[in-house]
Amino acid sequence: MSLFINQLINGVHVGSIYALIALGYTMVYGIIRLINFAHGDILMVGAYTVVVAIGTLGLSPLAAILISIVICTLFGILIEKIAYKPLRNSPKISSLITAIGVSMLLQNIALLVFTPTPKPYPVPLSVEPLNIGGIQVSFMTVLTFGVSIAIMLALQAFVTASKAGKSMRAVSEDVKAALLMGINTDNTITLTFAIGCALAGVGSALFCLAYPSVSPTMGSLPGVKAFIAAVLGGIGVIPGAMLGGFLLGIAESFTKAYISSQLSDAVVYGILIVVLLFKPSGLLGKSVREKV
Amino acid sequence: MLKVVDLEVYYGAIKALKGISFHVNKGEIVTLIGANGAGKTTTLNSISALVPIKSGSVSFMDIDLKTLPAYQRIYKGIAHVPEGRRVFSRMSVKENLEMGAYSRRDKGSLNRDAQRVYEHFPRLKERRNQLAGTLSGGEQQMLAIGRALMSNPTLIMMDEPSMGLAPILVSEIFQIIQDINKQGTTVLLVEQNAAMALSVADRGYVLETGNVVIEGTAKELSNNPEIKRAYLGTA
Ligand SMILES: Nc1ncnc2c1ncn2[C@@H]1O[C@H](COP(=O)(O)OP(=O)(O)OP(=O)(O)O)[C@@H](O)[C@H]1O
Ligand SMILES: [Mg+2]
């Protein structure tokens, strides 16, 4: 029983991180129907920023993490403006290939600058585990879960209630109609990338606190997992990314504990395939309705 | 107020508009009629900058719109009810109207305008919290018109507002177009229902494969034998 609860807690822990990263995939897909393959690499950008900020500049961990979130956001904006915006009216496949190119570019720059040797994430976090109703929960798990939930609630409120959030929804439904309303759709798209990458910045810090090893390709695997989470929940749907993230984290954690850690990825893909067989648009996805 | 001169638009190698000229005076209802593929939607879309113009000019209140991005045109007072309605289907009726008022800076009169829209379309008021995608076709058309009115436009362009509506609803929509016009909004109306369009319009232009072939007052056009035969189905 305690193994079960521990695995559930672990699953929620990684699931929160997947969910945060999945939000970026899903928001960008929702607004320009692009799978931003470079999204996972934003994690790596954030991680190296912290390494440099602490190791070279001698900043405090908190300052370093805050700066890394800003840098991730700026990378998101730059990547959108330089790589994707010029292709706005090109076939989707061009943007998709560009996204893969951006991902490789980021990884290779990191290889050149930082070498392939992994570096330790320089934020040691040793806090006594908390005792919640007789169950030991690590402080990191509580922090990760709390931060993720708070961010998701804030994001949901932003998208449903604020003027900028509503214009995002309008652009994601119909760019031309949004233009006719007077919405500067380019700015809205940029804002979406900025928010998605800021969340990846937060996700990066939380991920590295759990797996404190920084390398040029470190973003690939969590990136793919988060992408699967987004598809599982219904890509383009914000609550879907959260649901998908948590489900994936929990499934992975249980597979590792009860079946085999080698099989965990296979199980993850298996779940994805089964869900998509029965509900191609994902768990919370809306089936695509043709416009009249 | 609106002046279009020698407008040419291409889709790839296809020339959709072959040098169209027309104008709309303040306070008028002007209609563009023509068969499928004549270029009516393309004309409105190029006034809204949704399609690029190859040559020719569009000016509004004596300002050349050439360099004005699409999203800024509503700030100049041009609203566009697009072909096929294009309401935001995953947003509520109320949110759609809010998006229509996106360009407004004077938030004070917003409620008044929403009231005005609800007066024109009481049905929308009943359904204000319903998702637009679940409205009937006629209700969506009302919403699309209401949404455009929320910007308090000087000129409203409507692309086939009667498309797919039952006859009784068609006359209702045309009545509302006249009401909107009486309240001071200039109207550019694209229609295939030429009889209806000419019954409310002051003037009209007939488009045929990217050219203006006939123009005149609504009365002249209604009595023109060629139009009677080709567009009004009477001889
Ligand atoms: N996106 C496009 N790509 C290529 N050709 C187009 C496109 N849109 C319109 N056309 C062509 O341009 C011409 C004019 O089309 P337009 O939609 O303006 O006609 P319309 O008068 O609005 O017709 P309808 O009454 O059927 O709506 C047509 O021949 C059409 O096939
Ligand atoms: Mg048309």
Side-chain angles (χ1 to χ4, degrees):
Chain A
M1 191 59 198
S2 94
L3 177 67
F4 179 86
I5 289 179
N6 278 331
Q7 291 315 318
L8 187 66
I9 291 169
N10 280 346
V12 167
H13 185 159
V14 277
S16 313
I17 299 171
Y18 291 155
L20 273 183
I21 306 167
L23 283 170
Y25 277 108
T26 232
M27 289 174 76
V28 164
Y29 182 85
I31 207 148
I32 54 170
R33 306 288 179 273
L34 167 75
I35 295 160
N36 179 15
F37 281 111
H39 191 65
D41 299 296
I42 295 293
L43 297 191
M44 175 271 290
V45 169
Y48 276 115
T49 306
V50 170
V51 168
V52 171
I54 294 177
T56 313
L57 307 176
L59 297 178
S60 74
L62 186 64
I65 288 175
L66 289 177
I67 287 174
S68 77
I69 295 170
V70 173
I71 296 285
C72 288
T73 310
L74 291 179
F75 262 75
I77 295 172
L78 278 181
I79 290 171
E80 193 273 324
K81 287 227 185 288
I82 297 171
Y84 301 141
K85 193 176 166 199
L87 299 173
R88 195 68 46 77
N89 298 316
S90 316
K92 286 277 161 304
I93 189 77
S94 317
S95 312
L96 215 58
I97 291 168
T98 305
I100 296 170
V102 171
S103 169
M104 297 207 277
L105 180 73
L106 290 177
Q107 291 185 13
N108 281 292
I109 291 176
L111 266 175
L112 269 178
V113 178
F114 299 105
T115 76
T117 319
K119 294 185 166 44
Y121 193 68
V123 182
L125 212 83
S126 49
V127 187
E128 285 292 296
L130 307 174
N131 194 314
I132 302 175
I135 300 157
Q136 300 262 314
V137 184
S138 91
F139 172 73
M140 265 323 297
T141 301
V142 176
L143 179 76
T144 304
F145 184 67
V147 167
S148 304
I149 292 291
I151 286 180
M152 292 173 204
L153 291 178
L155 184 68
Q156 192 62 24
F158 170 77
V159 168
T160 44
S162 76
K163 191 171 177 182
K166 282 179 190 168
S167 48
M168 264 183 196
R169 281 155 60 206
V171 175
S172 75
E173 271 205 51
D174 189 334
V175 178
K176 286 191 172 167
L179 283 170
L180 293 180
M181 302 299 110
I183 296 169
N184 185 336
T185 53
D186 282 339
N187 285 356
T188 305
I189 292 168
T190 305
L191 177 68
T192 307
F193 271 86
I195 294 177
C197 288
L199 299 185
V202 176
S204 167
L206 295 173
F207 182 80
C208 290
L209 288 167
Y211 309 97
S213 163
V214 181
S215 73
T217 53
M218 62 171 278
S220 303
L221 200 55
V224 170
K225 298 266 178 68
F227 171 62
I228 292 175
V231 175
L232 191 63
I235 193 147
V237 185
I238 287 178
M242 307 178 195
L243 178 68
F246 284 118
L247 280 181
L248 201 71
I250 291 167
E252 197 179 83
S253 162
F254 279 132
T255 317
K256 278 185 182 156
Y258 291 111
I259 304 173
S260 130
S261 55
Q262 272 110 42
L263 274 183
S264 79
D265 288 347
V267 168
V268 163
Y269 290 111
I271 291 175
L272 179 74
I273 291 167
V274 170
V275 167
L276 293 187
L277 272 179
F278 289 99
K279 194 143 187 309
S281 53
L283 291 172
L284 301 185
K286 308 189 174 59
S287 45
V288 204
R289 195 155 14 106
E290 279 302 316
K291 282 199 188 99
V292 197
Chain B
M1 168 181 278
L2 178 75
K3 202 162 157 50
V4 172
V5 181
D6 289 334
L7 195 61
E8 288 190 16
V9 171
Y10 284 77
Y11 293 108
I14 302 164
K15 195 172 188 177
L17 298 186
K18 302 168 182 167
I20 282 183
S21 301
F22 67 94
H23 66 276
V24 181
N25 298 318
K26 189 172 187 312
E28 280 187 315
I29 301 182
V30 170
T31 183
L32 304 180
I33 54 184
N36 292 115
K40 308 179 296 293
T41 299
T42 304
T43 306
L44 295 196
N45 284 351
S46 49
I47 296 170
S48 287
L50 295 181
V51 297
I53 291 172
K54 172 87 175 188
S55 69
S57 73
V58 176
S59 59
F60 184 65
M61 312 234 262
D62 297 320
I63 303 166
D64 189 342
L65 299 185
K66 186 178 230 126
T67 56
L68 195 70
Y71 79 92
Q72 280 183 12
R73 300 199 171 198
I74 196 169
Y75 295 88
K76 298 285 180 212
I78 305 175
H80 183 166
V81 183
E83 183 173 60
R85 303 156 190 143
R86 304 184 87 142
V87 294
F88 299 113
S89 54
R90 292 197 296 269
M91 292 182 155
S92 68
V93 167
K94 203 160 139 254
E95 284 176 322
N96 268 275
L97 294 181
E98 277 172 40
M99 294 324 292
Y102 185 89
S103 58
R104 297 290 292 274
R105 281 151 202 151
D106 45 338
K107 295 295 163 209
S109 47
L110 242 171
N111 272 329
R112 211 179 52 224
D113 287 319
Q115 283 318 313
R116 182 166 81 125
V117 170
Y118 289 143
E119 269 164 37
H120 284 307
F121 306 107
R123 197 104 55 98
L124 292 183
K125 188 172 188 178
E126 290 162 26
R127 292 165 195 260
R128 60 187 177 278
N129 294 318
Q130 191 173 324
L131 289 186
T134 64
L135 296 175
S136 77
E139 289 161 351
Q140 289 189 9
Q141 188 58 261
M142 295 176 191
L143 181 57
I145 297 174
R147 184 178 68 174
L149 288 176
M150 288 300 289
S151 66
N152 197 17
T154 330
L155 169 71
I156 185 166
M157 306 193 292
M158 301 193 202
D159 199 337
E160 300 203 36
S162 74
M163 186 161 59
L165 303 189
I168 175 127
L169 211 51
V170 173
S171 14
E172 202 178 305
I173 294 265
F174 275 90
Q175 183 57 49
I176 287 162
I177 294 172
Q178 284 178 294
D179 292 346
I180 292 168
N181 179 249
K182 284 204 191 82
Q183 289 167 10
T185 308
T186 306
V187 179
L188 176 56
L189 176 64
V190 158
E191 260 302 336
Q192 282 205 42
N193 189 338
M196 268 301 205
L198 289 173
S199 75
V200 301
D202 297 300
R203 292 187 301 113
Y205 296 81
V206 179
L207 262 60
E208 236 166 60
T209 57
N211 289 302
V212 171
V213 287
I214 313 174
E215 61 177 275
T217 64
K219 199 159 180 213
E220 285 163 5
L221 295 181
S222 313
N223 293 325
N224 181 313
E226 222 176 300
I227 294 179
K228 274 188 176 168
R229 188 178 44 76
Y231 298 102
L232 300 177
T234 55

